[in-house]
Amino acid sequence: MKKEEFINMCRRMVVEYYNRYVHMVDNPTITINNVNLLEIENSKDDIQEALLMVDIDPWLQYKVIYNPNAKNKKDQQEIISYTIYT
């Protein structure tokens, strides 16, 4: 997967996850423009990892991992975790 395609996929996933599970009554729903890329890594096994942040909740960071070697599509791309920094 190309780098830009991976970054866009990660941003869409964070938006979907945030709007579904995280946003509170105080915070509006977000768009792709609210998601910032902090770091991106590529391993030797073609596994890509990205660390992202939502600008209205800067203490939450989301890690997305893409594994092209996974057996099915669902395992290939998913939000693995989010970390809260206070």
Side-chain angles (χ1 to χ4, degrees):
M1 177 179 293
K2 294 179 184 176
K3 186 176 178 179
E4 279 302 312
E5 185 181 347
F6 174 66
I7 293 170
N8 288 332
M9 179 194 71
C10 292
R11 285 186 171 145
R12 286 192 312 269
M13 291 175 70
V14 170
V15 166
E16 181 181 329
Y17 182 84
Y18 186 91
N19 288 338
R20 184 174 292 167
Y21 301 112
V22 180
H23 93 89
M24 305 292 192
V25 175
D26 300 346
N27 294 337
T29 56
I30 63 169
T31 65
I32 291 176
N33 297 330
N34 297 109
V35 180
N36 300 313
L37 179 68
L38 299 175
E39 185 179 329
I40 189 164
E41 290 182 32
N42 294 325
S43 74
K44 57 186 168 189
D45 297 329
D46 294 330
I47 297 173
Q48 296 176 311
E49 297 181 22
L51 188 63
L52 302 107
M53 175 188 77
V54 176
D55 60 4
I56 61 174
D57 277 341
W59 51 89
L60 291 176
Q61 294 183 350
Y62 300 86
K63 187 172 194 176
V64 180
I65 298 175
Y66 175 73
N67 182 0
N69 303 321
K71 294 181 181 179
N72 61 40
K73 282 250 186 229
K74 185 178 179 194
D75 292 338
Q76 281 183 349
Q77 52 194 5
E78 62 181 61
I79 293 180
I80 299 300
S81 64
Y82 67 91
T83 306
I84 302 172
Y85 293 97
T86 57

